[in-house]
Amino acid sequence: MRTKVGIIGGGPAGLLLARLLHRAGVDCVVLESRTRGHVERRQRAGMLEQGTVDALREAGAAGRLDAEGIVHRGIELRFGRARHRIDFPALTGGRTVTIYAQTEIVKDLVALHLADGPPLLFEAEAVAVEGADGEAPVVRFRHEGRDRTLTCDWVVGCDGSHGIARDAFPPAITRTYQRTYPYSWLGVLADVAPSCDELVYARGERGFALHSMRSPTVSRLYLQVPNGTDPADWPDDRIWDELDARFAVDGDWSLRRGPITAKSVTAMRSRVHEPMRHGRLLLAGDAAHIVPPTGAKGLNLAVADVRVLARAFTALHRTGSAQPLEQYSDRCLERVWQATRFSDEMTKMLHAQPDGDAFESRMQLTRLRRITASHQAAAELAAHYTGLPLAV
C-alpha cells in the first residue's frame, strides 16, 4: 500500500485528521489496531472547547453534535459549603463549551469515513515505523493475519500513550517531562438526570469531586481516591454517600441518585514528549502529551494538534511548501505547555493533599477565593478552560 499520509490510530485525533485531509484532497490511510466496536465504546472525555466544536463543524462531522450537544456557559466552583459560578461568555467575549461524549464523536467520524472517506482499516496493528528521516517512511503492520507495509510521504502517530510511533524517535533527540500525582479519580456513569445544569468542581477536606454529564439522562461523576484504588471496594451506596458529602452546600441543592452502570479508576499524570516531529514522522494527541483530566484538556489538545497538522498538509498539497510542517512541533508545544500548566494548577488547587499539608490547604483556599473575587483571575481561568484561540 502507498499513500501521502499514513495515520496510526483511529481515535478522535486520527479520524478527524483523516476527515480534514480527505476534504482538502490529500490522500491518507488510517490504521487502527482495535475493532470498530471497541473504538466506538471507549469512554473518554466529554467536554469540548469552542475550537473543538469549530473543527468538527469544519470537517462536516457536527450534525449530531449540534442537535444533541449540551452548551455550557460556565462552571461552578464549590468550597467552604458555598457555590461560586464562573460565567464564561461574560469573561471571554462570548466563548462557551459543549458537552458531547468522545464516544459519540468517534461514532460520527467512523460513519462518515465508511460512507465517503479514505481507507480505514480496523484490527490493523502497527508494529514499527521505519525510515522516518528519509523521504518515504514505512509503517509495518499486521492485518487479517498478514504482515503488510504502508509506504507514505508522511506518517502521523495518533496512537495514544501506549502506541509505537513515539518509539521511532531517536533517544538522542528525545526529552520526556512527566509528573505522577498522589491520587486518582474514581469515575462512574449513572442512569440519572444530572443534578446541575453545568459542571461542578468541589474542593473539600474529604477530597475533590466533579459532577459532569453525558446527556440529559446520564450523569458522569468523579471522586478523588488514593492511587491503587480498586473500584470493587466502592459499592454504589458508598459512592453516593461520599458524593453527597463532598458536594454539600448551604442552601437548597440535592444530589440525584440512580443506577450506576460503569466504574473505573483513572491515574492522574502529566507527560510531554519533545519534539513532536522527527523527519517525516509527527505525533499528535496522547502520543505526544497527557494531562490530568481536571482541566478537560486532553481531547481538546489533540484536536488543536490535528487542526495545525491539517492546515500544514493542505498548504503542502496546494503550494508545495513544507515550512508549516517543519514548524509544527514548536507551534504545538507552546500550546501544550500552556494547557499542561493550567491542568496542573487546577489539579493542585482542587485536590486534598494526602500528606495533610495544612499550609498547602490554606493556599488552595486562597487561590480559589482569588478566582471568585477577582475579575482578572476569573477571566484567566475562563479563557484557558474554553480554549485559547488557535494561532494562524
Side-chain angles (χ1 to χ4, degrees):
M1 298 178 66
R2 202 187 196 302
T3 190
K4 291 283 187 182
V5 182
I7 301 171
I8 306 173
L15 292 171
L16 179 58
L17 176 60
R19 189 67 191 166
L20 291 170
L21 294 182
H22 178 65
R23 289 168 70 89
V26 180
D27 293 338
C28 59
V29 173
V30 181
L31 305 176
E32 167 54 47
S33 64
R34 303 284 193 158
T35 66
R36 177 182 179 182
H38 178 91
V39 170
E40 293 184 340
R41 288 192 303 269
R42 283 188 293 210
Q43 290 293 335
R44 291 292 189 273
M47 197 290 290
L48 311 184
E49 294 175 356
Q50 183 75 61
T52 298
V53 173
D54 294 343
L56 290 166
R57 288 173 178 157
E58 180 186 346
R64 280 207 308 139
L65 166 61
D66 286 332
E68 302 174 16
I70 306 170
V71 176
H72 281 194
R73 300 171 63 83
I75 58 172
E76 182 180 306
L77 300 177
R78 288 192 186 183
F79 57 95
R81 299 185 64 87
R83 305 167 67 178
H84 307 269
R85 184 171 183 270
I86 306 298
D87 186 328
F88 290 158
L91 293 162
T92 64
R95 296 173 73 82
T96 61
V97 297
T98 301
I99 301 298
Y100 190 69
Q102 178 174 315
T103 51
E104 304 309 308
I105 294 173
V106 170
K107 290 175 187 175
D108 296 342
L109 289 168
V110 167
L112 285 171
H113 277 277
L114 297 182
D116 172 29
L120 167 57
L121 305 183
F122 291 106
E123 299 182 82
E125 181 186 7
V127 295
V129 178
E130 300 173 354
D133 50 359
E135 295 186 357
V138 171
V139 181
R140 299 195 178 277
F141 66 102
R142 299 189 184 99
H143 185 238
E144 297 179 338
R146 296 173 52 202
D147 291 336
R148 306 183 66 182
T149 59
L150 176 64
T151 303
C152 316
D153 291 344
W154 299 84
V155 176
V156 181
C158 301
D159 50 345
S161 59
H162 301 293
I164 59 94
R166 194 171 58 247
D167 294 339
F169 279 61
I173 70 164
T174 298
R175 293 286 302 274
T176 301
Y177 305 86
Q178 53 192 348
R179 166 173 290 168
T180 299
Y181 297 85
Y183 33 71
S184 299
W185 278 10
L186 171 64
V188 302
L189 281 171
D191 284 341
V192 61
S195 306
C196 50
D197 295 328
E198 297 171 337
L199 273 65
V200 176
Y201 288 77
R203 182 264 180 209
E205 298 306 318
R206 300 175 69 100
F208 168 78
L210 171 63
H211 191 312
S212 182
M213 59 210 68
R214 284 294 178 264
S215 75
T217 59
V218 176
S219 295
R220 182 68 160 154
L221 306 112
Y222 299 91
L223 286 167
Q224 176 186 348
V225 294
N227 287 341
T229 291
D230 184 346
D233 293 336
W234 283 78
D236 293 6
D237 286 344
R238 183 187 178 191
I239 291 173
W240 288 118
D241 290 345
E242 190 63 26
L243 287 166
D244 255 329
R246 297 191 192 185
F247 286 124
V249 291
D250 296 328
D252 184 20
W253 188 87
S254 61
L255 179 67
R256 297 188 182 112
R257 298 190 178 202
I260 292 177
T261 59
K263 302 176 188 178
S264 62
V265 171
T266 301
M268 303 287 285
R269 57 197 177 107
S270 289
R271 192 200 69 235
V272 179
H273 177 282
E274 294 186 358
M276 292 173 60
R277 171 181 173 266
H278 165 57
R280 296 200 172 202
L281 170 62
L282 309 105
L283 303 179
D286 285 0
H289 41 74
I290 294 174
V291 291
T294 325
K297 291 289 153 250
L299 171 63
N300 294 295
L301 269 182
V303 171
D305 292 345
V306 163
R307 295 178 79 190
V308 175
L309 268 180
R311 293 178 184 182
F313 279 124
T314 300
L316 177 66
H317 176 66
R318 293 176 178 172
T319 70
S321 173
Q323 184 176 5
L325 286 167
E326 293 166 358
Q327 298 171 339
Y328 167 73
S329 181
D330 290 340
R331 289 190 60 196
C332 286
L333 282 171
E334 178 62 31
R335 185 186 192 92
V336 166
W337 277 113
Q338 287 294 335
T340 301
R341 177 196 61 80
F342 174 72
S343 300
D344 180 71
E345 291 178 357
M346 286 281 285
T347 299
K348 291 191 292 190
M349 179 174 66
L350 290 163
H351 289 75
Q353 300 304 301
D355 61 4
D357 187 327
F359 179 86
E360 182 56 32
S361 179
R362 295 298 293 179
M363 291 304 298
Q364 289 175 323
L365 287 171
T366 300
R367 294 183 188 106
L368 285 164
R369 288 176 180 138
R370 179 173 181 269
I371 290 169
T372 57
S374 163
H375 182 277
Q376 180 181 1
E380 182 179 0
L381 185 151
H384 282 275
Y385 198 96
T386 58
L388 300 175
L390 194 69
V392 177

